[in-house]
Amino acid sequence: MNATTPLTALQVMQDSPVIPVIVLNDVAHAVPMARALLAGGIRMLEVTLRTKQALACIEAIARDVPEAVVGAGTVRSKADALAAARAGARFAVSPGYTSAVGQACRDANLALLPGVASSSEIMMATDDGFTELKFFPAVQAGGVGMLKAWSGPFFDVKFCPTGGITLQSAPDFLALGNVVCVGGSWLVPANVPETGDWGRVTRLAMETQVLRK
Ligand code: 3PG
């Protein structure tokens, strides 16, 4: 996956059954975290823009772990999208959708998984040409039942449900025809950086490979 070729949202979703949602508080943890996930077979990495260090972490992964594909999560504005692209992100994930975020990602060559939680939001995103979407917060907003209901009117839309999903519940989502992958933070337990147990992240990542469709 050449770093100069823009990705499509479908490529991001199809790479592995789970996209890890990563929160990093220290740039020193970025590369070990990326390498641990990569060792477990996961290379699409969503680093959320929720901490002061997030952009520096994206930059470090893009520079030092070229086998990984780093993206930015929690992209809420045009400024977030531009900053993420400048830091080296190859894709973006947003908790909701605005046309401004959609356009900014297009202009910056960032594949975008726009977040939606309602039929109207799906229609806004598809109106702007986005047909691969993040369903967020998936469990809280209706889970598997909601996705089944959407498969009728939105037969041409594919989803990455995220929010409240676990290794145990992931198969129920992945069994649906309109789900390509799921997102989740369970692969990166909050205390791993302080304990230095990167092997745990690798093991959690490896476990997800049985979910492959
Ligand atoms: C998020 O953006 O926080 C994701 O939805 C992660 O949700 P989870 O922690 O329930 O996996």
Side-chain angles (χ1 to χ4, degrees), residues 25-84:
N25 289 297
D26 185 337
V27 70
H29 300 151
V31 168
M33 179 68 83
R35 292 206 173 119
L37 287 162
L38 207 55
I42 295 183
R43 57 179 185 163
M44 293 290 163
L45 312 179
E46 177 189 338
V47 176
T48 56
L49 301 185
R50 292 182 201 177
T51 63
K52 285 202 182 80
Q53 297 76 13
L55 288 167
C57 291
I58 290 173
E59 214 170 284
I61 295 169
R63 184 186 58 234
D64 295 340
V65 196
E67 317 90 296
V69 180
V70 64
T74 321
V75 170
R76 293 168 38 185
S77 65
K78 178 177 172 176
D80 285 345
L82 296 181

Side-chain angles (χ1 to χ4, degrees), residues 13 15-19 174 180-183 208-209 211-213:
M13 288 165 87
D15 210 58
S16 67
V18 183
I19 297 178
L174 291 164
V180 180
C181 66
V182 301
T208 69
Q209 299 307 321
L211 301 170
R212 239 170 228 291
K213 287 198 172 201

Side-chain angles (χ1 to χ4, degrees), residues 135-200:
F135 173 27
F136 175 77
V139 169
Q140 297 84 341
V144 164
M146 191 73 147
L147 286 157
K148 281 186 182 162
W150 278 338
S151 68
F154 302 115
F155 54 87
D156 51 348
V157 175
K158 300 287 183 204
F159 294 94
C160 168
T162 306
I165 299 177
T166 62
L167 181 69
Q168 289 67 35
S169 64
D172 295 340
F173 287 90
L174 291 164
L176 302 175
N178 56 352
V179 169
V180 180
C181 66
V182 301
S185 64
W186 82 85
L187 303 184
V188 289
N191 66 346
V192 161
E194 81 207 36
T195 60
D197 189 4
W198 302 108
R200 182 164 169 221

Side-chain angles (χ1 to χ4, degrees), residues 1-7 90:
M1 221 162 262
N2 190 310
T4 56
T5 314
L7 294 172
R90 310 261 320 271

